[in-house]
Amino acid sequence: MKLLARNLSRSTTEQDLRVLFSAHGTVTECNLVLDQETGKSKGFAFIEMPNEKEAKLALANLHETKVANNKIRVKIAQ
């Protein structure tokens, strides 16, 4: 299942996200979207979790939690 994490702090890294989501299950892929010109985070990322139950648990536990002073939003990616 692919999740979308939005409203991320510009200082949040892919490794930070892997650690955060791995606490709820297996993460097979984590893609922090970067601005092509500046190389800085655009504030959102896609996280791939193969186990649907774990992905839903991560979504339920992480949606609207504070990460690096930002309240992140997590939803199922379309």
Side-chain angles (χ1 to χ4, degrees), residues 26-58:
T26 304
V27 173
T28 53
E29 207 172 313
C30 179
N31 294 313
L32 182 64
V33 179
L34 304 175
D35 184 289
Q36 288 185 344
E37 290 180 20
T38 64
K40 295 188 178 181
S41 168
K42 283 191 165 189
F44 66 99
F46 294 97
I47 297 92
E48 186 81 41
M49 298 180 79
N51 183 312
E52 189 174 324
K53 197 174 195 178
E54 292 174 351
K56 286 183 178 178
L57 180 67

